[in-house]
Amino acid sequence: MRIDVLGVGFDNVTMAEAVEFGCRLLEQPGSHYVVTPNPEIVEVCRNDPAAMAAVNGADLVLPDGIGIIKGAAMLGTPLKEKTPGIEFAGYLMGKMAEMRRSLYLLGAKPGVAEQAAEKLRARYPGLSIVGVHDGYFQEDGPVVEDIRRSGADCVFVCLGAPKQELWMQKNAMATGARLLCGLGGSLDVFAGVVERAPKFWSDHGLEWFYRLCKEPRRIGRMMKLPLFLVHVRQEKRRR
Ligand code: UDP
């Protein structure tokens, strides 16, 4: 059973359980998708029923960061642990390399996915990256066709939220891939274009603050975090 945080149902799993489940989905016929909402995405979903449906329609819904963990605890329904999308992706690539599975990278500015592919091939020998495409395309058709032709088992869809969730909901089946993962800005990090907060900051629940210092233009988006906590408090009173 999922744990409801302001309408988004999160799977209550550890990182190890999430990765194991992801591997099982890779083995199952049909197409599946994973989403990793943070408080900002939950706030977007509250105002956008289509985004809410795409997020809740996922086969695996993972809490991306400390904000969701805090929110769930405040509501009296704690989640086991945070399972950041980028870390989930790292573990999954390790397993896919062992399982000799193939991956397609979709998203980010032109050139970034190629750079990410080069770095990931070096880090995960055995993982076959069978295609890449930037995230600034006009029509879905040719991109879906390229993924299908590549025969990829898994696709990392990094178009930002809620675009990537809506894209996966609509196109997952047509890509022919078993598993699609919506991973926001992860390709920028894998490519080395954007730096992830050092462990100290994320261990102390301050990754958001580190990111804000590095990219002050995110302030507008980050104001959704206190708003999220206000809404959680209201929900707690209502319950
Ligand atoms: N992006 C994209 N296509 C778009 C809009 C965004 O490929 O139409 C990419 C963007 O280049 C970036 C990622 O999506 O690589 C979103 O990054 P952001 O930092 O916003 O995501 P977060 O990790 O915060 O969810």
Side-chain angles (χ1 to χ4, degrees), residues 48-151:
D48 181 347
M52 185 68 98
V55 166
N56 281 330
D59 297 271
L60 189 58
V61 182
L62 300 174
D64 188 61
I66 195 70
I68 299 293
I69 299 298
K70 284 228 153 69
M74 281 164 70
L75 291 168
T77 47
L79 284 158
K80 286 181 185 167
E81 63 182 3
K82 65 174 175 166
T83 46
I86 193 157
E87 289 174 24
F88 170 76
Y91 291 118
L92 191 67
M93 283 189 284
K95 292 280 183 199
M96 284 198 294
E98 283 169 23
M99 295 157 75
R100 301 274 153 185
R101 291 285 177 266
S102 58
L103 175 66
Y104 189 104
L105 305 178
L106 172 62
K109 298 209 173 101
V112 173
E114 282 88 347
Q115 246 174 292
E118 206 175 300
K119 297 242 164 86
L120 295 174
R121 281 191 189 108
R123 201 182 309 163
Y124 301 97
L127 176 69
S128 115
I129 298 182
V130 289
V132 298
H133 199 291
D134 70 74
Y136 295 84
F137 50 89
Q138 300 304 320
E139 285 173 45
D140 292 350
V143 177
V144 168
E145 192 43 39
D146 194 51
I147 298 173
R148 176 174 275 285
R149 260 203 308 266
S150 77

Side-chain angles (χ1 to χ4, degrees), residues 1 21 45 71 77 110 117 128 133 144 150 169 175 201 216 220 239:
M1 207 186 60
F21 189 68
C45 289
T77 47
S128 115
H133 199 291
V144 168
S150 77
Q169 184 195 39
T175 63
W201 296 78
R239 282 189 195 175

Side-chain angles (χ1 to χ4, degrees), residues 38 107-109 135-136 158-160 163 183-185 188 211 218 221:
N38 57 18
K109 298 209 173 101
Y136 295 84
C158 304
L159 305 172
K163 193 172 177 181
L183 296 167
D188 297 317
R211 253 187 127 174
R218 296 180 79 95
R221 287 174 56 175

Side-chain angles (χ1 to χ4, degrees), residues 6 40-52 224 227 231:
L6 303 182
E40 187 192 330
I41 301 176
V42 171
E43 283 299 317
V44 168
C45 289
R46 292 182 79 238
N47 298 310
D48 181 347
M52 185 68 98
K224 291 227 170 86
L227 193 63
H231 289 145

